[in-house]
Amino acid sequence: DTIIVSPADGTVMDVVEVDDSFVEEPCNKVIIFLSVFDVHVNRAPIEGEIKYQHYICGQYKPAFQKSVGWVNERHSIGLDNGRVKILVTQIAGLLARRIVSWGTLGNVLEKGQTYGLIKFGSCTEIVMPKSSVTVNVKKGDRVKGGVTVIGRIEK
């Protein structure tokens, strides 16, 4: 129950501090780049209920650029399991022109369960509270969706 798994296959591009309105406290954001050679299925990093969902139309800049999380097409879900809230965002890239998500508000996802996909090169971000989650990955690490432990819940 304390393990957070990667929501996607890919390479960790960065781990940065952010504030988030769903998590409602200072957070660490892990940014994962999915190349055209990675599996583009997204998985739930924790078991939890989808309590937030937001889709934004946007541009299609290359997914490895730092600005894509703010300007590209993206879809976010907020998971809450009673212990921790986590936000996961699917971001379309230059080649990824379609985001697919099968989850919706009120759905309960199991840890590692497939909930969506991004067609071709893209990016996935996961936002976790700093106060209760220790990040276990760093820039340059390769991660596997539903398998790699990217964080541990401390409280």
Side-chain angles (χ1 to χ4, degrees):
D1 288 346
T2 62
I3 292 175
I4 299 171
V5 296
S6 178
D9 293 0
T11 302
V12 176
M13 297 301 290
D14 212 347
V15 179
V16 296
E17 293 182 11
V18 296
D19 288 317
D20 182 76
S21 60
F22 173 73
V23 179
E24 300 176 311
E25 63 178 277
C27 300
N28 283 313
K29 176 170 67 172
V30 176
I31 305 165
I32 303 167
F33 172 69
L34 292 69
S35 78
V36 294
F37 301 108
D38 288 311
V39 176
H40 283 69
V41 170
N42 290 114
R43 298 181 179 275
I46 61 169
E47 177 181 341
E49 181 180 348
I50 299 175
K51 295 220 173 164
Y52 173 84
Q53 186 174 22
H54 190 69
Y55 173 81
I56 296 176
C57 290
Q59 300 176 23
Y60 298 102
K61 292 188 175 191
F64 56 82
Q65 291 184 350
K66 288 188 176 194
S67 64
V68 299
W70 305 110
V71 300
N72 279 18
E73 177 180 349
R74 57 200 176 276
H75 178 256
S76 299
I77 62 168
L79 293 170
D80 186 344
N81 66 7
R83 292 182 68 196
V84 68
K85 290 180 176 181
I86 289 178
L87 184 76
V88 184
T89 303
Q90 302 165 290
I91 303 169
L94 179 64
L95 298 175
R97 297 292 178 145
R98 182 143 186 236
I99 295 173
V100 179
S101 182
W102 303 292
T104 190
L105 288 173
N107 288 161
V108 175
L109 301 179
E110 298 295 321
K111 184 186 319 182
Q113 178 181 343
T114 301
Y115 75 87
L117 62 96
I118 312 168
K119 306 256 178 133
F120 305 116
S122 54
C123 183
T124 300
E125 298 178 343
I126 179 169
V127 175
M128 304 172 285
K130 286 178 65 172
S131 67
S132 59
V133 175
T134 301
V135 176
N136 289 29
V137 293
K138 64 186 178 319
K139 184 176 180 175
D141 287 352
R142 288 281 306 160
V143 294
K144 184 163 176 65
V147 175
T148 304
V149 177
I150 64 165
R152 293 192 185 273
I153 302 168
E154 301 299 328
K155 288 185 181 180

